[in-house]
Amino acid sequence: MERFVSIGEAASALGVSITTLRRWEAAGKLVAEHTAGGHRRYDMSKLRPEMFRSEADAQRRTIAYARVSSHDQKDDLERQKQVLELYCARQGWTFEVIADLGSGMNYHKKGLKRLLDAIIDGEIGRLVITHKDRLVRFDAELVFAICEAKNVEVVSLNQGEDTTFEEDLAKDVLEIITVFSARLYGSRSRKNQKLLNSVKKAVEDAQA
């Protein structure tokens, strides 16, 4: 199939009516290109990317990544893995699950490092996550930028707020406080130590 096709050919390839395709375009779900003569053309490499993947792309893996912050969230980690496995299986994808147990502010987790190495090496074609905060707490957009540069499709199952956001964030903040407390304790700064203890207590009280 040609990469740029007419509205009728695009509708046929997607299995929908021309009216539906026009409705999707009006809603911003897809964007048509325009020829020099003003005719609409649809980029099938975006609408049906699987039709244009090279043999090398087809061999790249699908990775599902799950993470929780602490050991007492192991049940949540298992639920994440089950959700990811079920979704990938329903899509008919051959996949592997990478799971991490550690703070979203820790960029040195074994699973995350393994994932990033595989992305950079061009071994992964698709990354599936339940929510962007499962990757890292901050700067997830940087990881997504790397994925885009390496032509990795990112599938985030939950576009809204992560259901464990507050709990995870509190744990991550406490981890930062613990690290700073250890450093400031060595400096014998009573004022700084008292301030950190107050912040830590406030975070713990908010969790209660």
Side-chain angles (χ1 to χ4, degrees):
M1 174 179 281
E2 294 291 330
R3 177 174 171 178
F4 294 96
V5 300
S6 67
I7 188 170
E9 292 172 310
S12 177
L14 294 174
V16 299
S17 67
I18 291 177
T19 301
T20 297
L21 205 62
R22 285 177 174 153
R23 187 169 65 249
W24 287 351
E25 185 178 349
K29 293 182 179 179
L30 54 84
V31 178
E33 307 287 340
H34 290 84
T35 66
H39 298 291
R40 274 190 179 85
R41 290 294 181 268
Y42 294 84
D43 188 348
M44 292 305 298
S45 69
K46 295 179 180 178
L47 300 180
R48 293 287 301 274
E50 70 277 5
M51 300 175 65
F52 293 85
R53 287 187 184 131
S54 66
E55 185 176 343
D57 287 337
Q59 293 175 351
R60 296 200 299 167
R61 295 177 291 157
T62 291
I63 296 293
Y65 181 80
R67 180 193 65 80
V68 293
S69 293
S70 59
H71 287 276
D72 59 6
Q73 292 177 299
K74 279 189 173 181
D75 288 344
D76 181 55
L77 184 62
E78 289 304 314
R79 282 192 293 270
Q80 278 187 56
K81 289 164 64 177
Q82 289 173 10
V83 168
L84 292 168
E85 289 170 356
L86 181 60
Y87 181 85
C88 291
R90 283 179 173 174
Q91 308 309 310
W93 298 333
T94 300
F95 64 94
E96 175 188 354
V97 176
I98 294 179
D100 262 333
L101 198 157
S103 167
M105 296 182 182
N106 176 7
Y107 290 75
H108 300 287
K109 296 183 294 293
K110 288 183 178 179
L112 181 62
K113 291 180 69 175
R114 178 182 161 203
L115 172 67
L116 291 176
D117 286 344
I119 290 174
I120 292 170
D121 289 342
E123 298 174 3
I124 296 177
R126 183 184 295 109
L127 170 62
V128 187
I129 51 179
T130 57
H131 191 277
K132 70 175 185 177
D133 287 327
R134 295 303 93 201
L135 281 171
V136 289
R137 174 62 60 199
F138 301 113
D139 294 330
E141 287 73 15
L142 178 59
V143 179
F144 295 154
I146 296 173
C147 288
E148 184 176 358
K150 290 295 182 177
N151 197 29
V152 176
E153 177 188 2
V154 179
V155 179
S156 181
L157 305 188
N158 181 7
Q159 300 295 332
E161 183 176 305
D162 193 351
T163 54
T164 60
F165 176 83
E166 292 182 355
E167 181 180 358
D168 265 2
L169 184 58
K171 290 179 184 295
D172 291 338
V173 170
L174 286 173
E175 180 178 320
I176 290 177
I177 293 172
T178 299
V179 172
F180 273 91
S181 294
R183 292 179 180 177
L184 291 176
Y185 181 77
S187 69
R188 302 296 181 182
S189 173
R190 280 186 157 186
K191 182 179 179 180
N192 288 338
Q193 188 65 40
K194 184 177 180 180
L195 175 62
L196 283 172
N197 287 338
S198 298
V199 175
K200 185 175 182 180
K201 185 177 185 304
V203 173
E204 290 173 339
D205 289 344
Q207 284 185 285

